[in-house]
């Protein structure tokens, strides 16, 4: 009998971090974010940096843009990947991808990929800083590039890669009461991962559940640790 494909949404959480404090609204404003990156806390360290490898292919460097849209209540702009992609199909992610030889650095990769994937022009993007790399189970060594994004942009998602673009309140993602830990067995080893499920308006305006998990949730958790330290 064929084994049903793994669906993280059907795996109940083993714990939820209600006991940790949320990042206050004042610390989510762009001036406070900029100040934090200019003078980062000495004692902080990322909580999650490495996934269990699921492939033998050589590691590849990549970068993602973590776009913090500067609305009255800041949001994080996310994408849902199309179902036919080889890596992380159908998952929620940041715009980003593999580093190309012409990219000067991680910032260049993140800005180029964001424009190619969703049509976000660099003129709307104000880079605030970077977080330490996160290595995915598929072999990508990812640099998260954190940026403030001015409203008023006109997106043009690449239909081959992007099924949907949406925004989640930054305050929701920076509140550990919304961070759920899950555990599952893969190849005889226990693997833990985070999820941050959010329900918001879908493309038709009706409520839709967005299951933020895996590498995207892990990098958001590291952003939380950086801001809360």
């Amino acid at each position: 009998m064929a084994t049903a494909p793994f669906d993280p949404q059907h795996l109940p959480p083993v714990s939820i971090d209600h006991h940790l404090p949320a990042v206050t609204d004042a610390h989510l404003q762009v001036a406070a974010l900029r100040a934090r990156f200019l003078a980062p806390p000495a004692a902080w360290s990322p909580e999650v940096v490495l996934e269990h490898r699921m492939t033998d292919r050589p590691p590849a460097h990549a970068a993602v843009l973590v776009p913090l849209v500067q609305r009255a209540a800041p949001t994080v702009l996310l994408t849902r990947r199309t179902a036919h992609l080889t890596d992380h199909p159908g998952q929620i992610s940041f715009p980003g991808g593999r580093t190309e030889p012409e990219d000067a650095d991680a910032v260049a990769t993140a800005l180029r990929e964001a424009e190619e994937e969703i049509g976000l022009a660099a003129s709307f993007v104000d880079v605030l800083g970077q977080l330490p790399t996160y290595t995915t189970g598929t072999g990508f060594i990812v640099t998260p590039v954190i940026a403030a994004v001015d409203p008023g942009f006109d997106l043009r998602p690449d239909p081959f890669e992007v099924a949907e673009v949406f925004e989640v309140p930054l305050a929701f993602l920076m509140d550990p009461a919304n961070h759920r830990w899950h555990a599952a067995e893969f190849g005889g080893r226990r693997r833990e991962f985070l999820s941050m499920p959010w329900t918001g308006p879908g493309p038709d305006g009706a409520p839709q559940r967005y299951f933020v998990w895996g590498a995207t949730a892990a990098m958001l958790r590291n952003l939380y640790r950086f801001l809360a330290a």
Side-chain angles (χ1 to χ4, degrees):
M1 181 180 295
T3 302
F6 171 69
D7 186 347
Q9 300 190 61
H10 294 156
L11 199 64
V14 296
S15 65
I16 302 174
D17 285 340
H18 296 289
H19 62 289
L20 295 175
V23 179
T24 65
D25 289 343
H27 288 91
L28 299 179
Q29 302 306 311
V30 66
L33 294 169
R34 192 186 311 280
R36 174 51 58 105
F37 277 100
L38 287 173
W44 103 278
S45 61
E47 185 171 356
V48 194
V49 296
L50 181 68
E51 293 180 1
H52 173 64
R53 285 295 299 272
M54 296 182 291
T55 175
D56 293 329
R57 71 184 180 191
H61 285 276
V64 296
L65 189 71
V66 182
L68 309 181
V69 184
Q70 297 305 293
R71 306 199 185 279
T75 64
V76 179
L77 191 151
L78 295 167
T79 73
R80 183 165 56 83
R81 295 166 62 81
T82 50
H84 62 80
L85 294 175
T86 302
D87 294 313
H88 311 289
Q91 292 187 20
I92 290 169
S93 66
F94 302 111
R98 186 190 300 264
T99 298
E100 300 295 344
E102 65 268 21
D103 295 336
D105 51 25
V107 170
T109 299
L111 293 176
R112 175 184 55 77
E113 285 284 342
E115 186 148 16
E116 291 176 359
E117 275 189 30
I118 61 174
L120 179 61
S123 58
F124 287 88
V125 180
D126 178 9
V127 173
L128 302 175
Q130 302 176 27
L131 293 180
T133 60
Y134 177 85
T135 302
T136 70
T138 49
F140 289 101
I141 304 169
V142 182
T143 299
V145 176
I146 315 300
V149 176
D150 292 332
F153 49 78
D154 182 23
L155 299 182
R156 301 177 308 280
D158 178 354
F160 181 81
E161 292 190 50
V162 180
E164 184 181 353
V165 182
F166 60 98
E167 296 178 30
V168 179
L170 179 59
F172 175 91
L173 296 169
M174 294 298 102
D175 184 349
N178 302 314
H179 298 182
R180 301 167 178 243
W181 289 97
H182 305 260
E185 294 288 334
F186 292 95
R189 295 184 59 180
R190 176 184 169 94
R191 175 188 170 195
E192 294 186 352
F193 63 89
L194 276 162
S195 75
M196 302 172 185
W198 180 73
T199 299
D204 59 357
Q208 179 167 315
R209 186 172 186 260
Y210 294 91
F211 194 75
V212 182
W213 77 290
T216 302
M219 286 184 272
L220 286 167
R221 175 71 171 206
N222 288 342
L223 178 61
Y224 163 74
R225 286 297 190 187
F226 176 71
L227 298 179

